[in-house]
Amino acid sequence: MMIMSFFYYICGKIIVIMVDFNISKHFTYLEMCFTRTSFDNLCVNPFYVTNLVRLCDVLEVIRDAVGKPLHVNSAYRSPRVNHAVGGVLTSDHLYGFAADIYVDNLSSLDLYNVIKSVHTKAGIDFGQVIRYKTFVHVSINTERHKNEFFEKL
């Protein structure tokens, strides 16, 4: 995978402009860094980008099991974005381990159940899978959590 970027030296500062690229077949870098806040949220830490690649691999398996596109509300979050959206200080989003996802015309309960079946049938280990009213939080951080499935409604 190649990350395309352009470096400019403007007014004594180095400016980096990132160009979007596919992390996996159906998920892009900018999609995984998207935020509705007004804060910068590009993930430039190579360890966190590696986590996003692993996360997207798991999201691809979930997408295949659902048979429809997944939409990402939030994946990587900078500390500033995480604070702005009310995320916990230890959020897996801060390290590229987590995504909040939904599928058009599919309830969060149905999506949650598909993910549970992916865990059982495909043997994929998750950190946490948390069902909320309108989306499902998927974490792959198995060092902090181990296949924790629960609901916060």
Side-chain angles (χ1 to χ4, degrees):
M1 167 185 8
M2 180 166 62
I3 298 174
M4 297 178 66
S5 60
F6 302 95
F7 296 87
Y8 295 96
Y9 190 74
I10 301 172
C11 300
K13 295 182 179 178
I14 294 176
I15 307 296
V16 180
I17 300 174
M18 298 294 296
V19 178
D20 200 13
F21 60 94
N22 278 62
I23 292 179
S24 67
K25 183 176 180 182
H26 297 102
F27 298 98
T28 68
Y29 170 79
L30 291 180
E31 179 181 15
M32 300 308 285
C33 295
F34 175 77
T35 179
R36 287 182 175 80
T37 71
S38 60
F39 302 121
D40 291 335
N41 198 54
L42 292 181
C43 179
V44 295
N45 182 309
F47 296 107
Y48 302 167
V49 173
T50 299
N51 294 340
L52 286 174
V53 171
R54 290 179 44 231
L55 176 63
C56 287
D57 289 344
V58 170
L59 294 179
E60 290 288 353
V61 175
I62 295 169
R63 185 186 193 281
D64 289 346
V66 171
K68 296 181 179 181
L70 302 181
H71 301 285
V72 179
N73 285 334
S74 178
Y76 170 76
R77 294 182 194 155
S78 68
R80 194 169 185 190
V81 168
N82 192 60
H83 178 74
V85 301
V88 297
L89 292 174
T90 58
S91 173
D92 285 340
H93 290 277
L94 292 165
Y95 309 100
F97 281 125
D100 298 335
I101 60 173
Y102 70 95
V103 175
D104 289 336
N105 301 314
L106 189 69
S107 71
S108 66
L109 176 61
D110 290 339
L111 178 57
Y112 178 78
N113 287 332
V114 168
I115 296 168
K116 283 169 68 172
S117 74
V118 164
H119 164 65
T120 304
K121 293 177 183 173
I124 293 178
D125 285 330
F126 292 92
Q128 289 182 320
V129 176
I130 307 170
R131 176 185 169 227
Y132 291 85
K133 184 176 181 178
T134 59
F135 66 91
V136 177
H137 169 88
V138 175
S139 167
I140 60 164
N141 185 354
T142 56
E143 290 184 22
R144 278 190 62 215
H145 316 282
K146 189 68 171 177
N147 297 318
E148 298 174 4
F149 287 81
F150 57 96
E151 301 177 69
K152 286 187 177 180
L153 298 174

